[in-house]
């Protein structure tokens, strides 16, 4: 029977129905005595007839069928789809991403019937189009069932991304993530799951969303997180965003704020110094407001506060080593350990130098040695001193330079009130303007000295508490006023030069630095309005010493007394030349002389 069917199949398709009837009748006759054999024969015949009919079946163009690869040549792959002729598929449709042909005889493959050539009895098939049809079917199923599809972001396009989900689809930028993406190129080449927002098969238009999936995941995670978190609990999270005031941490659908002050017991200038977006960290729930969904987090609370043991670790007078972490106008902050900083005030940086700004002594990052001056754990403060590392030079300066010692040094600075002379490193002595000269009137020290001059001076006084070192230059010589009374006796005539003229008198220089005053009343017997009527600066005059006050450094002079001295001398000579005179005449002469002297006054 098989041979008959085979032969007829090869000759003419028109005999199919007739042969079928004959085959069934003969088979029935042959199996009358055995019912099992009869049933088996019927099944075999039906199967053969199905195969026979299938061989003449014409598939619709565009239909997707499953076939088996029967051969592979240099241009085509032949696939048996159960038709009288094998279907052909272009070899390039089996080329994989590496460029290799992925087709093996015997493999099953889904194909689409593209078109028929009845004359040549050729069937053109397409593996790629079959795959696309299958993809579109899955797209419809996913859309209708609110399911997801997987795809690879191929590249960036205007307004979003191009995604390969088997066919090309569009992912708007607003649907790519829960928040705007800073670097869109980071998404290219990555595989994600997407929701299908809408599609149009005729226009090959598909719009995807990844954001919808993320929102669903976040909502599910948020509900689960809110049900489990509580104050005091330590949880894991992922750094989501970094600002200057803190870090936002994703706890699983719920964001918590880790404020900058709760990151570390130590100093944190900016959270970005410690964290990067995407970091996984452990934090402690400090406070929780479920209604407002506000969560405050802490990281430093995972460790013990270092100030609880600071008093034991850093007692007063202890020597420490720390790193300078910050400078202010009033001092430098030194980190002793994470979370503990001490302040070195500018006044505690040097025994001798007057530090205007700590940058003159230290820089951020420097390691310094210091002494603990005071510690107050309750207010989280430690006072430190740098200068205490070395002995205070003012403690030994008075022993090294007792009062009366002559020193020699360079003038380091000149001010309107005196000279600063370098003595020891960091210690300057002051020569006040009043201690420069016994006699000279100095308006400014720079009239006599300049910076860098080497001078000698005598130690006058040392005040340790106020850190003052007083020197004197004039004390190197004796005070000329101490012996002025010996050089200029009262009543002695002297000669000097007019140095200054005022309304109340004339100043006369007797020697360098020693001046006397001729009061206006002592200039002449005649009444004068101003001394300038009779004298000019530079005039050389003679006067008589009337009085001397060495304490007040004053010498009183008189010019008119010179004339009075001459009159008295004439009268004395006249009296001496005459003999004894009558009392009457002598009395008259004395009276006349007295009247004349009164008139002169």
């Amino acid at each position: 029977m098989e041979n008959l069917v085979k032969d007829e199949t090869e000759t003419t398709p028109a005999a199919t129905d007739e042969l079928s009837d004959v085959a069934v009748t003969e088979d029935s006759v042959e199996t009358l005595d055995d019912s099992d054999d009869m049933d088996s024969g019927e099944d075999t015949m039906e199967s053969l007839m199905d195969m026979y009919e299938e061989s003449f079946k014409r598939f619709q163009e565009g239909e997707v069928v499953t076939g088996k690869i029967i051969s592979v040549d240099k241009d085509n792959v032949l696939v048996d789809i159960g038709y009288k002729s094998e279907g052909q598929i272009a070899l390039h449709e089996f080329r994989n991403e590496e460029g290799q042909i992925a087709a093996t005889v015997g493999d099953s493959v889904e194909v689409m019937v593209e078109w028929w050539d009845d004359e040549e009895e050729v069937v053109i098939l397409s593996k790629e189009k079959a795959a696309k049809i299958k993809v579109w079917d899955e797209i419809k199923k996913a859309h209708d069932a609110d399911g997801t599809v997987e795809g690879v972001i191929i590249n960036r396009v205007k307004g979003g991304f191009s995604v390969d989900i088997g066919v090309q689809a569009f992912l708007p930028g607003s649907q790519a993530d829960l928040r705007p993406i800073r670097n869109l190129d980071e998404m290219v080449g990555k595989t994600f799951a997407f929701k299908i927002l809408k599609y149009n098969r005729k226009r090959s238009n598909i719009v995807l969303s990844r954001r919808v999936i993320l929102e669903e995941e976040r909502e599910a995670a948020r509900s689960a997180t809110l049900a489990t978190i509580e104050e005091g609990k330590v949880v894991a999270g992922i750094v989501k965003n970094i600002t200057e005031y803190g870090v936002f941490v994703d706890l699983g659908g719920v964001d918590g704020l880790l404020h900058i002050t709760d990151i570390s017991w130590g100093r944190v200038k900016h959270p970005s110094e410690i964290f990067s977006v995407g970091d996984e960290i452990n934090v402690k729930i400090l406070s929780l407001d479920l209604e407002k969904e506000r969560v405050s987090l802490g990281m430093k609370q995972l460790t013990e506060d270092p100030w609880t043991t600071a008093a034991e670790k850093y007692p007063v007078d202890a020597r420490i080593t720390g790193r300078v972490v910050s400078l202010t106008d009033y001092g430098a902050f030194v980190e002793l350990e994470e979370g503990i900083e001490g302040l070195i005030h500018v006044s505690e940086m040097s025994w001798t130098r007057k530090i205007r700004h700590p940058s003159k002594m230290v820089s951020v990052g420097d390691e310094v040695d210091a002494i603990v001056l005071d510690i107050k754990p309750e207010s989280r403060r430690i006072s430190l001193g740098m200068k205490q590392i070395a002995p205070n030079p003012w403690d030994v300066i008075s022993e090294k330079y007792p009062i009366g010692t002559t020193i020699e040094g360079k003038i380091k600075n000149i001010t309107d009130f005196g000279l600063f002379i370098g003595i020891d490193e960091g210690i300057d002595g002051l020569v006040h303007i009043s201690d420069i000269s016994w006699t000279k009137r100095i308006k400014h020290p720079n009239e006599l000295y300049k910076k860098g001059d080497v001078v000698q001076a005598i130690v006058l006084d040392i005040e340790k508490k106020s850190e003052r070192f007083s020197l004197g230059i004039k004390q190197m010589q004796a005070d000329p006023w101490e012996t002025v009374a010996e050089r200029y006796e009262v009543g002695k005539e002297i000669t000097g030069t007019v140095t200054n003229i005022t309304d109340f008198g004339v100043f006369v220089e007797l020697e360098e630095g020693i001046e006397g005053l001729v009061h206006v009343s002592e200039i002449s017997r005649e009444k004068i309005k101003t001394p300038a009527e009779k004298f000019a600066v530079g005039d050389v005059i003679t006067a008589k010493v009337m009085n001397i006050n060495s304490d007040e450094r004053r010498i009183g002079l008189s010019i008119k007394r010179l004339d009075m001295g001459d009159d008295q001398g004439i009268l004395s000579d006249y009296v001496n030349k005459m003999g004894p005179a009558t009392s009457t005449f002598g009395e008259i002469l004395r009276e006349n002389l007295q009247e004349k002297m009164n008139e002169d006054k």
Side-chain angles (χ1 to χ4, degrees), residues 319 350-352 371 386-397 425 427 464 467:
R319 179 167 179 160
S350 174
W351 289 113
T352 55
I371 299 295
M386 283 176 57
K387 67 184 183 182
Q388 288 78 6
I389 294 294
N392 183 356
W394 288 97
D395 290 338
V396 296
I397 198 72
E425 184 177 356
I427 295 182
K464 178 183 172 182
E467 297 184 352

Side-chain angles (χ1 to χ4, degrees), residues 411 413-419 433 436-437 439-451 453 455 473:
I411 297 176
N413 193 20
I414 299 177
T415 67
D416 57 356
F417 57 84
L419 308 171
I433 190 172
I436 292 178
S437 174
T439 57
K440 290 182 180 179
R441 293 181 180 179
I442 303 171
K443 293 182 179 179
H444 197 285
N446 59 17
E447 296 174 4
L448 301 175
Y449 302 97
K450 62 179 181 296
K451 192 174 180 180
D453 287 350
V455 297
I473 293 177

Side-chain angles (χ1 to χ4, degrees), residues 395-534:
D395 290 338
V396 296
I397 198 72
S398 58
E399 298 176 4
K400 189 175 181 180
Y401 302 103
I403 294 175
T405 303
T406 299
I407 62 97
E408 184 176 88
K410 285 186 178 180
I411 297 176
K412 297 179 66 176
N413 193 20
I414 299 177
T415 67
D416 57 356
F417 57 84
L419 308 171
F420 284 95
I421 300 175
I423 300 172
D424 277 352
E425 184 177 356
I427 295 182
D428 296 339
L430 172 63
V431 179
H432 194 269
I433 190 172
S434 62
D435 288 313
I436 292 178
S437 174
W438 289 112
T439 57
K440 290 182 180 179
R441 293 181 180 179
I442 303 171
K443 293 182 179 179
H444 197 285
N446 59 17
E447 296 174 4
L448 301 175
Y449 302 97
K450 62 179 181 296
K451 192 174 180 180
D453 287 350
V454 177
V455 297
Q456 288 186 332
I458 288 179
V459 178
L460 303 180
D461 189 24
I462 297 176
E463 296 180 17
K464 178 183 172 182
K465 290 184 178 180
S466 57
E467 297 184 352
R468 291 181 180 179
F469 199 116
S470 299
L471 300 173
I473 293 177
K474 71 182 184 181
Q475 287 80 2
M476 295 290 295
Q477 299 174 349
D479 184 357
W481 281 95
E482 292 180 357
T483 59
V484 73
E486 299 175 4
R487 298 194 303 276
Y488 305 102
E489 297 177 358
V490 175
K492 183 178 180 180
E493 291 185 10
I494 56 92
T495 300
T497 304
V498 176
T499 58
N500 191 18
I501 300 174
T502 67
D503 291 339
F504 58 84
V506 177
F507 286 93
V508 180
E509 186 180 51
L510 308 183
E511 60 181 71
E512 185 179 2
I514 303 293
E515 291 181 344
L517 172 64
V518 181
H519 193 268
V520 66
S521 63
E522 296 295 332
I523 291 176
S524 174
R525 294 179 181 180
E526 300 175 357
K527 292 182 180 180
I528 59 174
K529 294 182 179 179
T530 174
E533 294 177 358
K534 301 193 68 172

Side-chain angles (χ1 to χ4, degrees), residues 252-271:
V254 177
D255 291 345
L257 174 61
L258 174 60
H259 196 270
I260 188 171
T261 57
D262 290 310
I263 292 175
S264 171
W265 292 111
R267 182 185 295 264
V268 179
K269 292 183 178 178
H270 197 281

Side-chain angles (χ1 to χ4, degrees), residues 154-213:
I154 302 173
N155 52 39
R156 289 175 55 188
V157 296
K158 184 178 180 180
F161 302 91
S162 177
V163 183
D164 181 8
I165 59 172
V167 293
Q168 190 165 318
F170 175 64
L171 173 65
S174 61
Q175 296 296 321
D177 208 327
L178 292 173
R179 63 188 59 80
I181 302 171
R182 295 181 179 179
N183 187 358
L184 298 176
D185 292 330
E186 291 181 352
M187 301 284 288
V188 177
K190 293 184 178 180
T191 302
F192 300 102
F194 302 95
K195 287 272 191 177
I196 300 173
L197 296 183
K198 59 181 180 180
Y199 73 97
N200 188 316
R201 185 169 183 174
K202 292 181 180 180
R203 296 181 179 179
S204 296
N205 182 24
I206 306 170
V207 180
L208 305 175
S209 174
R210 177 171 172 260
R211 179 174 180 171
V212 172
I213 297 175

